[in-house]
Amino acid sequence: MTCKFCSQKQDPTQGNDFVFKNCGPDAGRQYQMFRHFFGIQDPLTISPPRAECPNYKVNEFFNWLRYIWKHAWDLGPTVSADEQTCSMQGQSIYKTRCGKFKRIGDGIQTDAIADDGYTFDFYFRNEPVAKKWISAGLSPMHARLLHMFEIFLDLYHRVNMDNLFNSVKFSIAAANCKTKVLTQGVFRKNSRGAPPIVFQEEVTGKKAEAARGTVKAAVLKGDPRAQGLIVASCFDQKPFYMVSDVATKVGWNAVEKKVFSHSANKKIIYRFLRFNISDDYNFQMNDNDITDQLRLEYRMMSKSRNNKWWWALFLWGFEVSLANAFRMYSCCHDLFQ
């Protein structure tokens, strides 16, 4: 890290003249001192029990981020909920083994609400959840999401989620929370509340070709907690299942795109049909992915090793704040053009 405080003449690759001019020749040592003595909690307070406040070393910082991020952004009608990973190379009991499935590697995970690349709220998975949701028969994962839903400033936001989060029971609970959140997304057919009437057999070969495009749907009726909740399945390469409190109908959307035709030797317009619930979901689900893309382009811990877990959490909050500031600048720039 010290080489980044050199001038570009001294280190053409990592050097930076602006940083060298403003930080001075002793910047590397000052940075090391900052790393060793930096703290964002009151050193005179007694550390709380780990079960009550596991992230106490950055808790005040996180509370400020949650406050300022909400008041700096007008949340749109449609947002997405997904996990974000604070990657770290050090050891921690909070670390999740996800490097086998994610390029970012292992780290501490958080559930987050994002809107077009702007992270609106977050809830780390090592933090305790409200007992009222657990006593209602919901999982800690769903309790974290419902806690964030109830902090929305408006009613009837639509939230898209992947199959890790969705279930019929959770959709009903979200629709009955204080902010009346409507959820939508793909979900797993087993143990998630899907009615057997929408199940489709997984087949291959000619049977799969014949079954392609088959749609089965069920609508919840007579339950005052969630009128009109739709559970549907559609057979594409194989059957996939969706639950939606947002959709008002089940059908097909006419879609067109330009494809290259070898016979005409040019691009032509190709028209086809797409399942309407998945069509809406696919174009509204990538808000957290945009945040991760912006954050990981310039992440500060890409070369760091053996850092304390709280230092990784602090840098995660700093990186997401930079991504949020960029999204705010971009939106304001587009608005006043």
Side-chain angles (χ1 to χ4, degrees):
M1 186 67 188
T2 308
C3 61
K4 293 185 180 293
F5 297 104
C6 299
S7 66
Q8 201 157 6
K9 182 178 180 180
Q10 295 171 315
D11 190 338
T13 303
Q14 300 289 343
N16 188 297
D17 290 336
F18 177 81
V19 173
F20 178 75
K21 180 181 177 181
N22 288 275
C23 294
D26 198 31
R29 183 171 177 272
Q30 293 176 13
Y31 171 75
Q32 291 177 354
M33 293 175 63
F34 168 78
R35 279 287 310 277
H36 282 90
F37 298 106
F38 171 74
I40 50 179
Q41 83 278 5
D42 187 352
L44 300 180
T45 58
I46 300 175
S47 301
R50 178 179 292 173
E52 296 179 7
C53 188
N55 300 332
Y56 74 96
K57 287 193 174 183
V58 289
N59 195 49
E60 292 299 321
F61 177 60
F62 279 175
N63 288 339
W64 174 248
L65 292 183
R66 291 184 176 105
Y67 172 80
I68 201 66
W69 289 355
K70 292 184 183 69
H71 290 80
W73 185 266
D74 187 10
L75 196 64
T78 303
V79 298
S80 70
D82 204 352
E83 72 268 6
Q84 293 186 26
T85 302
C86 168
S87 63
M88 59 173 295
Q89 298 291 335
Q91 295 182 356
S92 173
I93 61 172
Y94 307 130
K95 192 173 180 179
T96 303
R97 302 290 296 180
C98 54
K100 182 178 178 181
F101 309 101
K102 293 181 178 291
R103 182 179 62 87
I104 189 174
D106 301 336
I108 305 174
Q109 289 192 316
T110 176
D111 298 322
I113 305 293
D115 178 18
D116 195 22
Y118 183 96
T119 301
F120 184 79
D121 198 4
F122 62 95
Y123 201 129
F124 273 90
R125 293 181 177 177
N126 63 336
E127 295 178 304
V129 297
K131 293 182 179 179
K132 67 174 183 176
W133 302 118
I134 303 299
S135 60
L138 295 165
S139 67
M141 175 182 63
H142 291 152
R144 289 189 292 268
L145 291 176
L146 289 169
H147 173 82
M148 292 188 285
F149 289 171
E150 290 201 330
I151 303 177
F152 287 170
L153 303 179
D154 304 301
L155 301 178
Y156 300 108
H157 283 283
R158 300 187 292 271
V159 180
N160 290 283
M161 298 172 290
D162 62 19
N163 60 6
L164 175 65
F165 302 96
N166 279 312
S167 73
V168 172
K169 187 174 184 179
F170 173 65
S171 296
I172 295 174
N176 287 273
C177 70
K178 290 192 300 185
T179 51
K180 309 295 183 184
V181 174
L182 307 177
T183 59
Q184 176 176 261
V186 294
F187 81 133
R188 303 163 185 169
K189 70 174 185 178
N190 296 324
S191 68
R192 295 298 181 101
I197 196 172
V198 302
F199 290 176
Q200 296 194 47
E201 183 183 0
E202 293 191 20
V203 293
T204 57
K206 292 183 178 180
K207 289 184 178 180
E209 290 293 329
R212 181 171 295 180
T214 302
V215 174
K216 294 183 179 181
V219 182
L220 182 62
K221 296 289 187 181
D223 191 337
R225 299 175 300 168
Q227 287 284 355
L229 180 67
I230 297 175
V231 177
S233 64
C234 179
F235 198 106
D236 189 19
Q237 301 293 333
K238 62 179 183 179
F240 64 91
Y241 299 83
M242 303 202 68
V243 58
S244 176
D245 212 4
V246 177
T248 57
K249 64 177 183 178
V250 176
W252 299 90
N253 289 344
V255 182
E256 60 180 34
K257 66 177 182 180
K258 288 186 175 181
V259 298
F260 183 78
S261 171
H262 291 279
S263 59
N265 199 28
K266 63 177 182 180
K267 286 188 175 181
I268 61 173
I269 296 178
Y270 177 69
R271 296 179 176 86
F272 58 98
L273 299 176
R274 184 179 289 158
F275 187 44
N276 69 315
I277 300 179
S278 63
D279 187 34
D280 179 63
Y281 166 80
N282 288 335
F283 283 96
Q284 301 288 346
M285 184 50 205
N286 61 346
D287 297 320
N288 273 287
D289 297 331
I290 297 173
T291 300
D292 282 338
Q293 182 181 14
L294 293 173
R295 179 173 65 89
L296 297 179
E297 281 294 326
Y298 302 101
R299 67 185 176 116
M300 302 175 182
M301 295 189 62
S302 59
K303 304 298 182 184
S304 300
R305 296 291 185 275
N306 299 321
N307 283 311
K308 292 290 186 180
W309 59 269
W310 59 267
W311 178 253
L313 292 180
F314 170 76
L315 288 183
W316 175 88
F318 193 78
E319 291 168 355
V320 177
S321 296
L322 292 176
N324 283 353
F326 172 75
R327 289 301 304 138
M328 291 177 62
Y329 170 80
S330 300
C331 291
C332 290
H333 183 269
D334 295 339
L335 185 63
F336 292 105
Q337 283 299 308

